[in-house]
Amino acid sequence: MSSVIKAPVTGPIPSMLMPEIYDNRLHFQHQKILESESDTTTPPSMSQYREIPMLDMRELRSSSSHHHHRGRTQQYAKEQLARACTDWGTFYVINHGIPEELIQRYQKLILQLFSLPLEQKLQAERNKNSIFGYEFRQNQKSLIEIFQVGDHEAIIHHYSRKLFPNSYTQFCDALKELKEALCHLSLEILELVTEGLGMNMKNFDMYRREIQGLIRSNFYHQMDSHDEKEQVLGLKPHMDGSFISLLLQDDVAGLEIMKDGNWFCVKPKENAICIMIGDVLEVITNGYISSLQHRTIQPTMKPRLSIGYFLIPLDTCTISIAPEFVDAKNPPLFRPFNWLEYLELHRLLRTRLKGISRPNPSTLLFFKPLEH
Ligand SMILES: O=C(O)CCC(=O)C(=O)O
Ligand SMILES: [Fe+2]
């Protein structure tokens, strides 16, 4: 029958962030897309477990050695990487080189942060118009605490001081060290991925100077389960607004991925980092690879900590299809857009559609050519 959307999209998008490219026609289109979708919120049932591809960074990294066997191993690993991207949109990497000591040090400190009194954490609360800070996200059945910062040292110091007035340097140091290591690794992987998919590295270079990093820690509280078969959703199904995302997890399961129309549970792997393809790469490759739809399940046995690192464009960056992914058989699927425009729509979907799961949670729908 009618759509179940409780909060129809009305009123203008805040003009401060509204690029000129927006006009009323597009705004109307957004409304149409949102209205055509209905609530598909059903409690997720237990998902089957699947192994995702596993790649060895030691094999992928080029070496100065000209050893024949080594070259073949590397070539094979690169093919596996390309296949992981086209078939799965996600994979684990091992031998990534991020020191275990550093990860554990940061995990310990971020858990200390989450165990601070709520009033103190709220001193660093995320501002409505910002993506940085602390967030206490409580729904009927789920509870997640999130802490997120970017590359700006001043912001990191600002929030760290509020949270750890007496010992903030220790926290800042670990955060910055981990962020830098993850930045390095993610750029390396992004380069391997784009090159492996046949992207012209000159076109990739245009983005190199327009990339920033976000580090986000998610603390999922342990929830009571009344029905063993029914799971409680933590994060709703979504695609990340990133080039790629890196995910570190403790030993508690909770991540689920969508593959071929089914949800699968991905178990944490010791010393492995989960890589996910984000929306930006889907656009640049003109849909040759898709961003990974994923969600999380609220744990019941013990709490769960995950740390995500997102490589995202700078606000000023324009995202457009790399020409080598367009030909007669592959017409352009997306119009070029500015990153702020993406963020605004991403936020619109999250806030205006609170409590509603869209059948297709993709923000990229808005950048497809208009249908007549
Ligand atoms: O906690 C996880 O496993 C995933 C987190 C996630 O998807 C996100 O922060 O975007
Ligand atoms: Fe995500």
Side-chain angles (χ1 to χ4, degrees), residues 96-358:
H96 45 72
I98 309 238
E100 192 54 33
E101 174 279 322
L102 175 57
I103 296 173
Q104 280 171 6
R105 178 152 50 99
Y106 180 72
Q107 282 175 334
K108 209 173 128 199
L109 289 164
I110 196 74
L111 285 175
Q112 272 175 29
L113 185 158
F114 289 127
S115 64
L116 291 170
L118 184 59
E119 316 87 78
Q120 193 176 342
K121 289 184 282 193
L122 290 175
Q123 297 284 309
E125 194 177 10
R126 173 174 177 171
N127 184 294
K128 238 172 134 192
N129 298 313
S130 160
I131 53 172
F132 305 130
Y134 168 81
E135 193 185 342
F136 186 84
R137 201 185 278 187
Q138 188 165 31
N139 285 318
Q140 274 167 323
K141 290 185 188 162
S142 68
L143 177 54
I144 310 174
E145 293 183 69
I146 299 168
F147 182 69
Q148 178 163 295
V149 287
D151 290 332
H152 302 284
E153 286 222 355
I155 293 179
I156 296 179
H157 284 248
H158 171 79
Y159 286 113
S160 306
R161 267 216 177 87
K162 294 208 162 185
L163 291 160
F164 298 109
N166 303 318
S167 62
Y168 81 99
T169 43
Q170 214 189 1
F171 177 71
C172 270
D173 288 349
L175 175 59
K176 279 191 270 183
E177 249 178 82
L178 181 62
K179 204 169 63 64
E180 259 152 50
L182 288 171
C183 177
H184 195 263
L185 176 66
S186 56
L187 281 171
E188 188 185 6
I189 294 171
L190 179 60
E191 200 164 325
L192 282 165
V193 165
T194 47
E195 195 175 20
L197 296 173
M199 184 165 176
N200 181 336
M201 282 295 109
K202 279 215 184 93
N203 290 328
F204 177 74
D205 281 342
M206 296 197 313
Y207 289 105
R208 212 185 285 272
R209 272 163 284 116
E210 297 202 81
I211 292 182
Q212 59 178 324
L214 271 186
I215 185 163
R216 162 172 161 142
S217 307
N218 302 300
F219 184 72
Y220 298 85
H221 285 245
Q222 150 192 13
M223 306 310 271
D224 296 331
S225 84
H226 302 289
D227 182 344
E228 271 184 18
K229 286 208 188 87
E230 215 163 81
Q231 309 191 96
V232 172
L233 215 50
L235 296 182
K236 287 198 301 183
H238 68 280
M239 286 77 152
D240 287 346
S242 62
F243 288 86
I244 54 169
S245 312
L246 274 56
L247 187 76
L248 304 168
Q249 308 168 74
D250 61 12
D251 58 355
V252 183
L255 175 65
E256 295 198 347
I257 60 157
M258 169 70 91
K259 179 166 166 55
D260 306 326
N262 294 307
W263 285 108
F264 294 106
C265 163
V266 178
K267 279 194 199 148
K269 281 244 182 301
E270 221 182 329
N271 299 322
I273 297 179
C274 180
I275 315 296
M276 303 188 237
I277 302 295
D279 275 352
V280 180
L281 273 192
E282 177 168 338
V283 174
I284 292 177
T285 65
N286 197 24
Y288 183 64
I289 57 171
S290 301
S291 55
L292 176 76
Q293 190 177 340
H294 57 287
R295 67 183 186 188
T296 55
I297 303 300
Q298 201 80 35
T300 54
M301 307 294 275
K302 46 181 176 167
R304 170 171 187 260
L305 176 69
S306 72
I307 299 159
Y309 183 83
F310 307 88
L311 267 192
I312 65 170
L314 290 178
D315 289 356
T316 48
C317 184
T318 297
I319 316 293
S320 58
I321 300 169
E324 54 273 31
F325 293 101
V326 179
D327 58 27
K329 275 196 196 140
N330 301 284
L333 294 178
F334 309 98
R335 67 170 170 85
F337 56 88
N338 178 274
W339 187 242
L340 276 184
E341 197 182 348
Y342 176 96
L343 284 183
E344 205 43 57
L345 287 165
H346 195 78
R347 197 168 316 173
L348 179 111
L349 288 179
R350 252 201 45 212
T351 54
R352 298 279 175 96
L353 296 177
K354 229 176 181 162
I356 294 177
S357 286
R358 302 167 59 233

